[in-house]
Amino acid sequence: MKHIKAYILTALLAGVFYSCLDETLEYTQYPSGIPETESGDRDMRLKVSVPKTYSAGAAGSIDREERIDTLDVLVFAPAAGNPDKKYLRSAVTGSVVKDDEGNVVKNVFEVVMPLGKDMDVHVFANAHSDLVRNGAFGAGGKEMQAVLGSITTARKYDIQKADVMLPMHGSVTGVTIDKDSKDVLPVSVLRSVSKVSVMINGSVSASSDELTGGELDEFKLYEMYVFFPADSARVATADTTQFYTVRPDSGNVKTATLPAKLRAGNRPDSISIKSTTVVKQIESIYLYENIPWSKDGFDYATSRMVLGGVFYDKTTGSPDKNADGTPRISYYRINFQDNKDVQYPLLRNHHYVFSITSVAAPGYDTPRQAAEGKPINIQVTVFDWMNELHEIVNDGQHYFNTSSKNITLPRDANSIRSIEVESDVDASEWKMYFKDTDNGVTTPQTWFKDKSGNDSIDATAGATLQNSRYKVTKTDDKITVEVLKKYSDLPPAPSTESRDDVLVLMVKNLRIYIRITQADKSPDDWGNGGDLNTDLGEDPNKPLDVGLPFYVAKGNLIATKNADGSLSYVFADEQGYYSGKADGGDLFCWNTADPFTFEVTQSSWEDARDPCRKVGDGKWRTPTDAELQALIDAGNVWGENIYTMTDGTTKNGRYFGTITVPAEADQDKYVFLPTASYRNGSSYNNAGDGTGGYYWSTTSAGTFACRLIFYSSSCGVDANRRNLGNPVRCVRDKWAYPNAFDK
């Protein structure tokens, strides 16, 4: 068999190569008993991408976490008569490529790739010694899962060293390589370890993903430990279905892949970082995957954090002291957990940042005592850098989870932003107040003078809270903030009014602080080359533009009932969402703002009853029949399972603004209308769910009203009874608001 050089291009997000690889190519002959359908090898380039690293600011961390020093490729081919079984056909070690001037070409490796059909390609970075030690290069002809399962790494102390690169693995399945194949094949790799950091009162930059530590009067940080770390790990996830594949830019694992013989307990084993001076943050300990272990009520094999620091009395400012009068370091256990007594596994490629938000009293005398004791006297926020930012506040009894603790609003009055929230405590029990009175008296009033004339707080359990600048609305799954004034509308001194505010949520014993600010930015900035996502975060009302004189909302309209009986209106977070229920809040009778009232027949259209005008600044509206026809004429295409939701499910429907089904990465560049069906009386038409779409216009047609209607074989505008419950996709004019949609 001839050998032709192939290339593996590593497209790292950051980092530079600092060392050359072994230029020796190793090749395992295609084993006997497995048919070789094509002979020879082929030049190829595998683009290997490393996911973004979320750094807390440690120098050099990005380079280390995204750098590849060695690269190995294992290729598996299907067996004769049993294509579901795949066996090792080729094992190749990469070497660097140099340009004409002898310089190492950044991110390019040279390998040999075999020709074949329906092969699985597995890429290993920084794991060459592990493959050699486990006999991967001598495993020709062995079954794929057996080979992958045998490749373990056991360098838990070495990977803490700054000059040791992190092992990584990725794969691509069903690959056919022949003489006509493209010479580029993308492969994403994930780090085979997790990362754990700690900081004091940490926060996330509103304009970037950088984490920074702060201050606490009652606690000074010195030490960080992880007790009972796993002693080994599988470099690869043998079952590739355990990866998230919905969004390629944020893929990650959702379950642990453990070696056959894993030890994590039964001895006082720990990894630690200690400082002789007070620090705001400690970066970082790298850990192999582990899961919660318990037997006979003991969990000594479960990995856990221990933090060491000095407690200071909040009243006197004096530190807790040793017998000799020196400040005493005490220790606090912190679990990897998301609610009461439920601990979650440590997963590869995740970054867990423990942010200490308050300390109530001194902790245990020794790290070991803390590790074997219960979590006491400390409250933390856990930033789990998985796919998105999650902040979990846990006091050992209750939890509160937010998608962010920063809300930035645009310059225009009546702009709205939301964050997702989750708790085991019902929203009706959450209380709210603003941290200070800089922006005036609140409605309902939360600040008052007690009998002694001191400021006191009476937090409200109501659904809304507002001061002169911001209005906050809470539901079980969202905190929504509306800015009531323009950025420029700021009274001069001596007024204390500020564009910055802090919302405090009281959830049982938890205190959650959400920072609110207004920036001199607007969604029109993204239309002129700015980056709305970087500056303001994702706009919940960001429209879709398919070249028509109007913008289209990014999702169907949804109304929800507040605790006081009023309604709040938002667009679905995803174009493919629909409730599939008669009372799901997304099926409206014609020209009726209340989707929970059925069998309504309006005699004529009135803008005051348009549910779209209830969103944001009131400039959204239900489209006319002519606008729906224009949307059809812009091109449309039907398909089943053609819109992918973030949870991996798929939806039937039609794309508009294109005549071909877009790739998943491009699906939100076009308007997608799901087959949301309709309501007849009080019954949801289940028979139509998944087969038909029906969307209201403002246009009357005698005693009927016009709507967009489509099935798999047809799409057009017809007229039907006004008392039917149909979904609404809102629009807003372009011409009236040049370069922006909310001016």
Side-chain angles (χ1 to χ4, degrees):
M1 180 181 296
K2 64 179 180 178
H3 291 174
I4 302 175
K5 295 178 180 179
Y7 299 93
I8 294 184
L9 173 63
T10 61
L12 303 183
L13 300 180
V16 181
F17 293 136
Y18 292 100
S19 64
C20 297
L21 305 185
D22 181 1
E23 297 186 3
T24 302
L25 299 181
E26 299 185 53
Y27 186 76
T28 300
Q29 182 70 31
Y30 193 50
S32 60
I34 305 174
E36 184 175 343
T37 57
E38 298 186 62
S39 61
D41 307 308
R42 194 186 188 288
D43 292 351
M44 290 202 68
R45 290 181 179 179
L46 277 68
K47 289 188 176 180
V48 182
S49 60
V50 182
K52 181 178 182 179
T53 186
Y54 297 94
S55 172
S61 62
I62 292 179
D63 171 58
R64 184 188 177 192
E65 292 167 5
E66 299 184 0
R67 177 176 159 189
I68 295 178
D69 276 2
T70 64
L71 197 74
D72 298 278
V73 179
L74 303 185
V75 182
F76 298 85
N82 188 6
D84 293 333
K85 283 282 189 179
K86 297 187 178 181
Y87 295 85
L88 182 61
R89 176 174 180 178
S90 174
V92 183
T93 298
S95 62
V96 297
V97 174
K98 297 182 180 180
D99 60 21
D100 294 338
E101 298 178 356
N103 300 313
V104 174
V105 180
K106 181 182 177 181
N107 301 345
V108 177
F109 287 85
E110 188 176 84
V111 299
V112 174
M113 295 290 288
L115 302 182
K117 297 179 179 179
D118 193 27
M119 299 185 297
D120 286 4
V121 178
H122 286 260
V123 174
F124 295 82
N126 304 326
H128 181 77
S129 61
D130 296 317
L131 270 72
V132 172
R133 179 173 55 84
N134 290 281
F137 291 101
K142 291 186 178 180
E143 193 269 331
M144 182 173 68
Q145 298 298 340
V147 175
L148 297 178
S150 68
I151 302 172
T152 61
T153 182
R155 295 176 286 163
K156 66 177 178 180
Y157 299 111
D158 286 344
I159 61 173
Q160 314 306 326
K161 300 176 181 178
D163 60 345
V164 176
M165 299 301 106
L166 306 181
M168 308 177 192
H169 165 260
S171 66
V172 60
T173 62
V175 176
T176 294
I177 302 176
D178 55 33
K179 62 181 182 179
D180 298 320
S181 298
K182 295 181 178 180
D183 61 358
V184 177
L185 180 68
V187 180
S188 297
V189 297
L190 298 180
R191 305 171 190 89
S192 303
V193 298
S194 61
K195 175 181 176 180
V196 181
S197 310
V198 63
M199 62 177 53
I200 298 291
N201 203 19
S203 62
V204 185
S205 169
S207 60
S208 70
D209 290 316
E210 183 178 351
L211 292 166
T212 56
E215 304 276 354
L216 278 179
D217 293 337
E218 71 268 26
F219 187 77
K220 306 303 177 185
L221 177 65
Y222 287 87
E223 301 174 5
M224 174 176 72
Y225 302 76
V226 175
F227 275 82
F228 308 113
D231 66 349
S232 58
R234 291 246 297 266
V235 180
T237 54
D239 184 359
T240 56
T241 64
Q242 301 298 335
F243 286 84
Y244 287 119
T245 58
V246 176
R247 294 183 295 173
D249 63 337
S250 58
N252 218 331
V253 299
K254 58 185 178 182
T255 191
T257 303
L258 304 179
K261 297 181 179 180
L262 174 69
R263 296 199 309 168
N266 302 318
R267 62 194 185 281
D269 193 11
S270 68
I271 301 171
S272 63
I273 299 177
K274 303 176 186 179
S275 173
T276 58
T277 59
V278 177
V279 292
K280 293 182 179 181
Q281 58 197 49
I282 300 178
E283 289 264 334
S284 291
I285 291 175
Y286 298 94
L287 300 170
Y288 295 138
E289 291 184 302
N290 197 11
I291 61 174
W293 301 87
S294 63
K295 185 177 181 181
D296 300 327
F298 296 96
D299 64 348
Y300 288 166
T302 303
S303 300
R304 78 289 309 267
M305 288 273 295
V306 171
L307 306 179
V310 178
F311 174 77
Y312 284 74
D313 187 276
K314 294 181 181 180
T315 303
T316 65
S318 299
D320 181 43
K321 297 179 180 180
N322 296 305
D324 62 0
T326 57
R328 184 179 78 96
I329 295 179
S330 59
Y331 299 91
Y332 305 80
R333 172 174 170 172
I334 307 293
N335 289 335
F336 296 89
Q337 64 181 37
D338 57 3
N339 58 27
K340 183 182 179 180
D341 296 329
V342 177
Q343 300 186 58
Y344 50 73
L346 278 172
L347 300 178
R348 65 182 62 204
N349 204 63
H350 288 234
H351 182 189
Y352 305 96
V353 181
F354 291 80
S355 175
I356 306 168
T357 58
S358 67
V359 181
Y364 292 93
D365 292 334
T366 68
R368 181 71 178 179
Q369 289 176 351
E372 297 181 355
K374 299 290 186 182
I376 60 170
N377 298 335
I378 193 167
Q379 183 171 300
V380 299
T381 296
V382 182
F383 298 82
D384 178 5
W385 297 98
M386 186 178 59
N387 295 332
E388 302 171 347
L389 173 64
H390 294 273
E391 302 184 21
I392 305 168
V393 179
N394 187 305
D395 66 355
Q397 294 182 312
H398 301 285
Y399 76 95
F400 192 90
N401 184 15
T402 72
S403 59
S404 177
K405 292 178 76 174
N406 296 276
I407 298 177
T408 302
L409 295 110
R411 68 169 72 96
D412 302 302
N414 304 117
S415 298
I416 296 175
R417 293 291 185 273
S418 299
I419 58 173
E420 296 180 356
V421 297
E422 180 185 23
S423 178
D424 62 337
V425 180
D426 190 87
S428 62
E429 300 183 52
W430 308 349
K431 294 184 177 182
M432 304 184 289
Y433 66 94
F434 289 107
K435 189 176 180 181
D436 54 48
T437 58
D438 288 351
N439 285 326
V441 177
T442 61
T443 305
Q445 186 171 342
T446 53
W447 286 83
F448 65 98
K449 297 289 186 179
D450 62 20
K451 294 181 178 179
S452 301
N454 299 314
D455 286 337
S456 295
I457 300 170
D458 185 16
T460 178
T464 62
L465 174 69
Q466 74 177 70
N467 56 24
S468 61
R469 196 163 198 89
Y470 296 110
K471 179 181 179 181
V472 179
T473 303
K474 65 169 179 144
T475 63
D476 282 324
D477 59 354
K478 283 187 179 180
I479 299 294
T480 301
V481 179
E482 178 184 3
V483 61
L484 304 176
K485 297 182 178 181
K486 299 185 293 185
Y487 181 89
S488 58
D489 188 6
L490 191 66
S495 171
T496 61
E497 187 169 329
S498 171
R499 301 184 186 97
D500 298 318
D501 218 326
V502 177
L503 174 72
V504 184
L505 289 174
M506 299 170 58
V507 182
K508 298 295 186 181
N509 295 323
L510 303 174
R511 296 291 186 275
I512 299 93
Y513 297 86
I514 298 173
R515 296 171 178 84
I516 305 171
T517 191
Q518 187 180 23
D520 191 16
K521 305 279 185 183
S522 184
D524 60 337
D525 296 340
W526 61 260
N528 294 324
D531 189 346
L532 178 67
N533 289 338
T534 297
D535 295 334
L536 299 172
E538 182 64 30
D539 184 347
N541 298 330
K542 181 178 178 180
L544 300 167
D545 187 356
V546 290
L548 297 171
F550 52 87
Y551 294 110
V552 182
K554 70 164 190 175
N556 290 351
L557 183 64
I558 304 172
T560 57
K561 286 185 177 180
N562 300 318
D564 60 0
S566 62
L567 298 176
S568 296
Y569 299 83
V570 297
F571 300 134
D573 291 333
E574 300 178 88
Q575 291 202 78
Y577 172 81
Y578 59 90
S579 69
K581 302 188 295 182
D583 60 351
D586 56 346
L587 298 177
F588 298 79
C589 296
W590 184 74
N591 197 203
T592 304
D594 185 354
F596 305 102
T597 303
F598 305 161
E599 295 285 353
V600 179
T601 302
Q602 306 290 4
S603 59
S604 62
W605 183 272
E606 295 183 12
D607 285 346
R609 294 195 301 263
D610 186 347
C612 291
R613 297 188 182 270
K614 308 297 184 181
V615 179
D617 60 3
K619 295 172 183 174
W620 291 96
R621 57 181 178 79
T622 300
T624 65
D625 63 337
E627 288 169 329
L628 292 178
Q629 186 61 55
L631 194 61
I632 296 171
D633 295 340
N636 64 94
V637 59
W638 163 267
E640 296 182 1
N641 303 315
I642 57 172
Y643 187 91
T644 304
M645 307 288 282
T646 56
D647 63 0
T649 60
T650 54
K651 300 293 183 180
N652 300 350
R654 276 189 182 269
Y655 283 100
F656 297 84
T658 179
I659 59 174
T660 59
V661 176
E664 183 181 330
D666 298 326
Q667 63 184 15
D668 285 320
K669 294 180 180 179
Y670 307 95
V671 175
F672 177 79
L673 299 182
T675 52
S677 197
Y678 64 94
R679 181 184 64 227
N680 187 3
S682 61
S683 300
Y684 179 72
N685 182 34
N686 291 308
D689 184 18
T691 62
Y694 319 86
Y695 290 79
W696 279 130
S697 78
T698 63
T699 309
S700 301
T703 60
F704 286 8
C706 296
R707 62 180 185 173
L708 186 154
I709 179 172
F710 63 82
Y711 300 98
S712 61
S713 59
S714 61
C715 182
V717 176
D718 77 347
N720 213 314
R721 305 196 316 270
R722 300 179 182 185
N723 62 349
L724 294 177
N726 289 330
V728 179
R729 185 64 67 90
C730 305
V731 301
R732 67 189 292 149
D733 296 313
K734 278 185 181 179
W735 60 266
Y737 315 102
N739 300 319
F741 63 87
D742 72 344
K743 284 187 174 180

